[in-house]
Amino acid sequence: MIEQLREAVCGLHAELVRYNLVAWTAGNVSGRVPGEDLFVIKPSGVSYDDLTPASMVVCDLDGNVVEGEHAPSSDTAAHAYVYRHMPEVGGVVHTHSTYASAWAARGEPIPCVLTAMADEFGGEIPIGPFALIGGDDIGRGIVEVLSGHRSPAVLMQNHGVFTIGGSAKAAVKAAVMCEDVARTVHVSRQLGEPLPIKQDDVDRLYDRYQNVYGQRSSR
Ligand SMILES: [Zn+2]
């Protein structure tokens, strides 16, 4: 099980590169080991080209290394905090993707002005508190904002994006979609004030997309 997850989490890092969400070694993906109090995360400071399944690090839910030759990502404490406090979460992603981080730098939530946003995020993409790395402040901010929120993405003020999902792949998808809508809404703003979508319609779009859209087996 852990070997499969090492491979999956390693492979998902290539998606961050493919969708242009990361620069240098910034950004990371983790996945919870099903049925165990463990998760697999990217090693710290290793180039994306050099990541291998064997270089992934296995940590316990306090962020201690259980298995692996490398030090884990410097964001490990934040991932661990999320896994400890949100048992439904199976994957966490962090990026400094350009447009989403530009909203984060302004401390402004991304308003729900696209049907694709209503589908994926069920409303606006919220802002989390300013928090310094080290300790539990980032993790606490993520959990406080996303608990009970439809959005699987939070923009941590002056920092970047954290996304959660039922799996590592779902969290990566949320990171890709977050950057996509952050860019489109930003461009729209350059042209004038985007039109809001009525809450009723947001609710209907979200419900349809989450429950009806796509292939049943892939959800
Ligand atoms: Zn960061």
Side-chain angles (χ1 to χ4, degrees), residues 48-153:
Y48 276 85
D49 286 343
D50 296 333
L51 294 177
T52 60
S55 68
M56 297 295 120
V57 184
V58 182
C59 292
D60 66 21
L61 298 194
D62 292 317
N64 303 307
V65 175
V66 171
E67 203 179 290
E69 289 164 26
H70 296 80
S73 161
S74 49
D75 295 301
T76 295
H79 290 244
Y81 191 95
V82 172
Y83 289 122
R84 282 205 306 282
H85 291 86
M86 302 180 87
E88 71 280 15
V89 169
V92 178
V93 171
H94 173 50
T95 80
H96 301 155
S97 64
T98 306
Y99 285 88
S101 297
W103 287 88
R106 291 205 302 275
E108 187 181 0
I110 305 175
C112 186
V113 292
L114 298 166
T115 57
M117 269 192 84
D119 289 346
E120 283 290 336
F121 301 95
E124 69 172 23
I125 298 178
I127 289 286
F130 176 81
L132 293 177
I133 197 163
D136 281 340
D137 290 353
I138 292 178
R140 193 178 299 118
I142 298 165
V143 169
E144 277 174 9
V145 173
L146 293 186
S147 292
H149 204 292
R150 284 177 177 172
S151 173

Side-chain angles (χ1 to χ4, degrees), residues 181-198:
V181 300
R183 184 179 55 201
T184 307
V185 178
H186 170 77
V187 171
S188 177
R189 276 263 177 105
Q190 309 314 299
L191 304 170
E193 196 54 36
L195 305 174
I197 301 175
K198 286 198 298 265

Side-chain angles (χ1 to χ4, degrees), residues 8-9 12 15 29-31 90-93 165-175 218:
V9 169
L12 285 166
E15 300 292 302
V29 179
S30 71
V92 178
V93 171
S167 65
K169 186 178 179 182
V172 170
K173 182 193 178 194
S218 69

